[in-house]
Amino acid sequence: MALSNENLSLRPGTSVSNAEKEGDVVTHQEIIGDLTSEDRDFLANFTEAQKRKVMWKLDIRLVPMLAFLYLIAYLDRANIGNAKIEGLMEDLNLTGSQYNIALSIFFVPYIILEMPSNTLLLKFKRPSHYMGILVTTWGAVMTLTGIVQNFGGLVACRFLLGVFESGFFPGAVFTISRWYLPHETQARIALFYSSSALAGAFSGLLAFAIVKLDGIAGLAGWRWIFILEGIASVIAGIATFWLLIDTPGLSSGWLTPGEQKYLELRQYAVQGNNMRIREAEKSRKWQITWSVLLDWQLYLQALIYWSNTVPNYGMKFTMPQIIKNMGYTSSEAQLMTIPPYVVGAISAFVSAILSDKFKWRMPFIVTAQTLVVISFAILFSKSKDIASNIPVCYFAIFLSSVGFYPINPGGNAWTINNLAGPTKRAQGIAYMICLGNIGGIIGSYIYIEDEKPTYPTGFGASFAFAGLGIIACLFLEYLYWNINRKRAIMTEDDIRAKFSDDVLEKMGDRSPLFRYTL
């Protein structure tokens, strides 16, 4: 039986034994929760017009707010690249690899705390309160970065920034999964993730404008970048307490009782995302955590993540310098970082729409990774005389941005779709992102100051990690397809004769009834 958002009226205890197909594409299915006859009738009578209305109300409230907050997060972690070419290194007397250390220290707490953060998020009745605390605190840290006087102060601020930013992205992805069904997630994740690309564009534009305050109150222009963008984050964090929506049950102010019931029941029907399962999973918390740590698919997804994080973070921290190496002034370089990021944001959104439309993740991730490989092959071969190859090298920067930004939304949606149960889904996506963000540490070191303008380590490593990601993506697709094929051999009756409903539920995505999304 094929499941979709439009087909949620099911008999009690129904499960899916055959994979839904879109052409030859297998899509994700989960064990279906029991519904009362009243609930089944309610879902059957909820009209298409009502569904469109409630989804529109949800879309305009959740995704734009998450996108705005993620834009703020990316501005605050990446604006150090803009500050660098405005005198940060000279004023703080940074030498050797100290700048790279300051970049990488952000990722140490960011990686370690991502998974515990999502576990902590589950303890909050209102996710908006937890997210508001994170944004407000990292905004305060960013503001203080504007008054550091030495390398030690810069490292301390970058470390604390990583602490408080660590919970936002996995928390936002998990929040989306609590409101939307699996096939609806990637477009929404991409919309808010594309704001990371727009953050790059805004970062250059804001830096261009803010550095004109150079000398005001005796502060250098690069300091004003941190101070003003940090204050903006504090204001955004305070607003989060009231503007970020929580759960359907806590949204009576903008949802009708019928709309609240519909959003809760459709999660219950399709994902088993309900209090009964959540309560049952509490007694198996450590068992579920262990299953996350041993889940092979998360390690392949992390390699796919690296195909973006290593080259993307490296480029984000260094793009202003790369463009300046072409012979442009600092102000010109700040402005020229804007167009590639805008194109990257558009690319993420278009790729997500197509991926959700065809219900197939792999081809759109591999296509993006291939563009990254091509772009760094060009940069590696032409950067030796970059001033004489400005058009082709600037085109390669564009091409890399087109490739970067569809990868992570696709990988995150793919991961969410293939983890069963709310606890494993929350821990699994956080753990995968945790592993994937190790790429940020690597990316912080690949562009070595003494190697400019050719950056053989930076361009070469970016090329290699993108290529590794392609291999991981194709291998993961094969494994999912092969497991689905083997599971389809047994009928649902055979499976139910062998396993009880309780055992099947505890097996989660290892259940023979579960089908992986391709």
Side-chain angles (χ1 to χ4, degrees), residues 326 385-391:
M326 295 178 183
D385 190 15
I386 194 170
S388 300
N389 292 286
I390 294 175

Side-chain angles (χ1 to χ4, degrees), residues 63-132:
V63 177
M65 186 62 187
L66 290 177
F68 174 70
L69 293 176
Y70 198 49
L71 184 148
I72 292 288
Y74 245 85
L75 274 176
D76 288 344
R77 81 179 63 166
N79 56 14
I80 189 171
N82 302 99
K84 178 191 175 188
I85 65 171
E86 298 295 344
L88 176 144
M89 292 191 65
E90 292 78 9
D91 288 356
L92 297 185
N93 298 313
L94 301 186
T95 59
S97 62
Q98 287 183 326
Y99 176 72
N100 302 91
I101 294 171
L103 295 181
S104 65
I105 198 66
F106 167 89
F107 293 98
V108 175
Y110 191 86
I111 291 166
I112 294 172
L113 297 176
E114 277 182 315
M115 190 172 173
S117 179
N118 255 20
T119 303
L120 184 59
L121 172 63
L122 289 173
K123 297 182 181 296
F124 276 72
K125 181 180 179 181
R126 292 186 176 274
S128 60
H129 290 180
Y130 181 65
M131 303 290 252

Side-chain angles (χ1 to χ4, degrees), residues 25-28 181-190 301 304 351-369 406-418 473-474 476-477 480 516-518:
V25 180
V26 181
T27 62
H28 161 91
L181 301 185
H183 71 277
E184 299 168 339
T185 55
Q186 184 175 345
R188 274 79 180 188
I189 291 173
Q301 288 283 10
I304 294 169
S351 177
I353 292 295
L354 293 174
S355 180
D356 276 352
K357 176 181 175 61
F358 290 102
K359 296 183 173 67
W360 198 6
R361 309 299 184 193
M362 181 276 293
F364 300 95
I365 298 174
V366 169
T367 299
Q369 292 168 324
I407 296 173
N408 282 6
N412 289 330
W414 210 7
T415 302
I416 288 173
N417 292 168
N418 289 325
C473 194
L474 293 174
L476 184 62
E477 175 84 350
Y480 283 155
Y516 287 108
T517 298
L518 300 186

Side-chain angles (χ1 to χ4, degrees), residues 27 67 99 221 268 305 343 389 463 478:
T27 62
Y99 176 72
Y268 178 37
Y305 212 83
V343 172
N389 292 286
F463 175 92
Y478 168 75

Side-chain angles (χ1 to χ4, degrees), residues 307-308 310-316 319 322 369-383 393 395-397 399-401 403-404 446-447 454-467:
S307 69
N308 172 52
V310 174
N312 193 0
Y313 274 118
M315 178 64 78
K316 191 176 291 288
M319 188 190 295
I322 293 172
Q369 292 168 324
T370 302
L371 294 179
V372 176
V373 167
I374 294 171
S375 67
F376 283 99
I378 294 172
L379 287 169
F380 188 87
S381 63
K382 298 295 183 181
S383 61
C393 289
F395 168 76
I397 292 173
L399 198 62
S400 68
S401 293
F404 288 150
I446 60 176
Y447 287 92
T454 58
Y455 293 121
T457 303
F459 296 147
S462 298
F463 175 92
F465 276 99

Side-chain angles (χ1 to χ4, degrees), residues 197 200-202 204-205 319 333-343 394:
F202 277 110
L205 184 61
M319 188 190 295
Q334 302 283 22
L335 291 176
M336 288 181 70
T337 62
I338 298 173
Y341 287 121
V342 172
V343 172
Y394 193 50

